[in-house]
Amino acid sequence: ATMAEEAKKLAAYAAVDNHVQNNQAVGVGSGSTIVYAVDRLAARVRQEKLNIVCVPTSFQARQLILQHSLALSDLDRHPQLDVAIDGADEVDADLTLIKGGGGCLTHEKIVASCAKHFIVIADYSRKDSKVLGQQWKKGVPIEVIPMAYVPVCRTIVRRFGGEAHLRMAVSKAGPVVTDNSNFLLDWKFDGAQNWREVNAAIKMIPGVVDTGLFVDMAERAYFGMEDGSVQVRDPAVA
Ligand SMILES: O=C(CO)[C@H](O)[C@H](O)COP(=O)(O)O
């Protein structure tokens, strides 16, 4: 495996080993890093005969849970989760996140909001930043109702600057369609922002479903490092 893949695995294993216990309901994130967390969950369930249920954050996460024969649940049956583990596209010094590179931000935010502990896993490359936008250049993903994408784009750029573009599909003509049958905008912002305010303001624009800004949600981040160690980041105490 490449160095970055090894690092993803280190972070994922550390999160599962430190935060998952018997008799828990666990939120399962989306992306390429979470694959290692589900591998580890499945191994621990087998070895330790853990009794846990998993709530997915996407179609992909649901497939992972089913492929590993883990117990699949949902927020109807488990509206309170003990822990949720997910990847991120960028993490800043305060543990504010950009998520949604994989387009699953709305379900991810709902599941994270239902968890007592929300734990982020990432590799050292391109994600561990002092401020958002330092390394992640694709902008903030924003899920929108399809008919509103043009006015939402214009409102965001008028009020907050930068550029916003409809995310286009790669192996299909036309836009990316989310698990919720919506569209995605990627807002490339200029410079520093007050993320708490910007997140709240964008959410209030009619047609916006949610943003990929996760403010005051993550309790801890694990970064798998190049040298095989795992770095832990907790939010600075205000
Ligand atoms: O927010 C996400 C999907 O909506 C993912 O968690 C994020 O894109 C990280 O993915 P990866 O682990 O593949 O880098």
Side-chain angles (χ1 to χ4, degrees), residues 30-34 86-89 99-105 108 127:
S30 312
S32 58
T33 313
I34 201 69
D86 204 343
D89 298 306
K99 287 183 51 54
C104 314
L105 55 116
E108 289 171 340
K127 290 182 168 187

Side-chain angles (χ1 to χ4, degrees), residues 130-169:
K130 222 178 186 66
V131 296
L132 297 182
Q134 190 181 318
Q135 299 181 85
W136 176 255
K137 301 298 181 190
K138 294 183 183 170
V140 175
I142 298 165
E143 183 161 354
V144 295
I145 299 292
M147 59 131 4
Y149 92 88
V150 171
V152 170
C153 262
R154 290 165 57 103
T155 302
I156 289 173
V157 171
R158 180 168 47 77
R159 289 179 54 188
F160 306 107
E163 288 176 31
H165 296 287
L166 180 63
R167 191 184 299 181
M168 302 306 285

Side-chain angles (χ1 to χ4, degrees), residues 5 8 29-36 57-58 60 85-90 98-106 108 120-123 125-127 136 141 167 184 212 214:
E5 290 303 309
K8 289 178 189 182
S30 312
S32 58
T33 313
I34 201 69
V35 173
Y36 296 104
T57 57
S58 61
Q60 179 223 359
I85 300 174
D86 204 343
D89 298 306
E90 195 170 35
I98 293 179
K99 287 183 51 54
C104 314
L105 55 116
T106 300
E108 289 171 340
V120 174
I121 53 178
D123 61 278
S125 65
R126 319 174 328 273
K127 290 182 168 187
W136 176 255
R167 191 184 299 181
L184 290 164
F214 285 49

Side-chain angles (χ1 to χ4, degrees), residues 194-225:
N194 178 330
W195 294 116
R196 188 175 294 103
E197 283 174 17
V198 167
N199 177 52
I202 293 177
K203 264 212 84 154
M204 288 302 293
I205 300 169
V208 169
V209 179
D210 216 326
T211 84
L213 291 165
F214 285 49
V215 186
D216 288 333
M217 295 188 77
E219 164 177 323
R220 170 172 282 188
Y222 288 92
F223 294 100
M225 304 306 288

Side-chain angles (χ1 to χ4, degrees), residues 24-159:
Q24 284 187 336
V26 179
V28 175
S30 312
S32 58
T33 313
I34 201 69
V35 173
Y36 296 104
V38 179
D39 282 344
R40 185 63 174 176
L41 263 180
R44 286 195 56 203
V45 165
R46 276 196 308 274
Q47 282 158 16
E48 302 168 40
K49 310 228 179 320
L50 294 183
N51 172 35
I52 59 165
V53 297
C54 297
V55 172
T57 57
S58 61
F59 184 88
Q60 179 223 359
R62 184 175 182 276
Q63 296 292 84
L64 282 174
I65 292 164
L66 292 174
Q67 281 159 9
H68 286 80
S69 304
L70 291 164
L72 178 68
S73 190
D74 51 50
L75 295 177
D76 296 6
R77 282 172 289 187
H78 292 93
Q80 279 192 33
L81 305 174
D82 297 288
V83 60
I85 300 174
D86 204 343
D89 298 306
E90 195 170 35
V91 183
D92 80 3
D94 299 327
L95 255 57
T96 299
L97 317 176
I98 293 179
K99 287 183 51 54
C104 314
L105 55 116
T106 300
H107 279 188
E108 289 171 340
K109 198 182 274 189
I110 293 168
V111 168
S113 78
C114 293
K116 270 186 234 138
H117 306 286
F118 175 45
I119 308 298
V120 174
I121 53 178
D123 61 278
Y124 60 88
S125 65
R126 319 174 328 273
K127 290 182 168 187
D128 178 3
S129 294
K130 222 178 186 66
V131 296
L132 297 182
Q134 190 181 318
Q135 299 181 85
W136 176 255
K137 301 298 181 190
K138 294 183 183 170
V140 175
I142 298 165
E143 183 161 354
V144 295
I145 299 292
M147 59 131 4
Y149 92 88
V150 171
V152 170
C153 262
R154 290 165 57 103
T155 302
I156 289 173
V157 171
R158 180 168 47 77
R159 289 179 54 188

